Amino acid sequence: MIGGRLVMTTPFARPVLSNPLFTLTLPMASLKTHKPTFNYPDSISGSLYNWGYGPAFVPAGTDLTRNPSMTFDGETVYLKGLHIHSPSEHSINGDRAKSELHLVHAKADGEERAVVGILIDPVAYESNAPNSTFFESLQLSKVPSFKDTTTRISSTLNIKQALTEVKSLDTYWTYEGSLTTPPCTQGLRWFVSNPKLLVGTAQMQELLKVSSFSARVEQEVWGQKVNV
C-alpha cells in the first residue's frame, strides 16, 4: 500500500474491497478485530499551527507517556499530534470526504505506531444541525494560513470530543499501512472510522479557507490484510 491509502466501500454488513487482481469481500471490523480503546482527557494543551496544508496540533511537553493514549492488541501508544488533510485521503464508494483528521500515535520512544483517520463532511446545506463541538475548541479562526508554517499558537483542545462525535469508532476499518506523509514510515496500524465527523457549513468553510490540497490518488487493496 503506497502512502497508507485504501479504497473502501460502504460498511453495511459486508463491504467489498477491490483488488487489482481479484475482489475480496470482507466483514466490517468487529469488537474482536484489533479493537482500540481510548484514554483521552477532556482537554490537552499544546501548539496549534498550519502544517502547510491545513490545521495541525502537537501536545506540550516531550514525555509522550503523559499524552492521551489508545490501546489495541495489548499495546498502548500515545498521541504525538494531529493534522488535517483536504480532501480526505480515504474514499468510500469512490467518494472522498471534504477533509480527514489524522490522530497520530507513537510508542513511548517516539516511533509512530498507529493512526486514527476520521472523515470530515459538512451537514446538509441550511441544516439546523449543531456545529461540531470539537471544531469549536479548535478555533479555526486562529489557525494561520497554509502559507504560514512557522507561527505557533498556544491552545487547549478537547480531542476526546472528536472521538465522541464519531462514537469512539464503534465501527471502523483497520489495516496495516504507512504514514501518508514523509518519511512514510511503514508498519503502522490504521483505524478508519465509519461514522463521519460532521461540521457546520461555516466551520467547513473556515477549515477549507486555511487548507490546501493534500490528498494523493488512493491505492487499491493489493495483498493488504484488511480487518484481519
Side-chain angles (χ1 to χ4, degrees), residues 3-4 104 112 115 177-186 188 190 216:
V104 181
E112 288 86 358
V115 183
S178 68
L179 291 177
T180 64
T181 55
C184 299
T185 306
Q186 297 285 333
L188 277 73
W190 274 86
R216 291 171 284 181

Side-chain angles (χ1 to χ4, degrees), residues 22-134:
F22 49 86
T23 298
L24 298 174
T25 301
L26 296 173
M28 191 66 181
S30 69
L31 295 178
K32 297 181 180 179
T33 309
H34 309 287
K35 177 65 177 177
T37 57
F38 298 94
N39 182 17
Y40 272 56
D42 291 333
S43 64
I44 179 170
S45 299
S47 297
L48 183 66
Y49 65 102
N50 197 308
W51 68 290
Y53 298 96
F57 175 86
V58 290
T62 58
D63 183 358
L64 291 181
T65 63
R66 300 177 67 88
N67 292 352
S69 65
M70 65 178 287
T71 300
F72 64 95
D73 298 340
E75 180 180 6
T76 297
V77 291
Y78 307 93
L79 181 70
K80 191 172 185 178
L82 67 80
H83 59 272
I84 297 177
H85 289 267
S86 296
S88 66
E89 293 219 299
H90 293 88
S91 65
I92 300 176
N93 286 335
D95 294 329
R96 291 183 188 262
K98 292 290 189 294
S99 301
E100 182 172 340
L101 170 67
H102 287 172
L103 305 178
V104 181
H105 296 76
K107 300 177 183 179
D109 62 5
E111 179 185 357
E112 288 86 358
R113 180 67 182 92
V115 183
V116 174
I118 300 175
L119 305 186
I120 302 168
D121 261 335
V123 297
Y125 187 66
E126 295 184 344
S127 168
N128 292 323
N131 284 337
S132 161
T133 302
F134 165 69

Side-chain angles (χ1 to χ4, degrees), residues 130-151:
N131 284 337
S132 161
T133 302
F134 165 69
F135 271 93
E136 288 179 348
S137 79
L138 188 58
Q139 301 182 73
L140 289 166
S141 62
K142 294 185 178 181
V143 177
S145 163
F146 56 82
K147 296 179 180 180
D148 176 4
T149 60
T150 59
T151 299

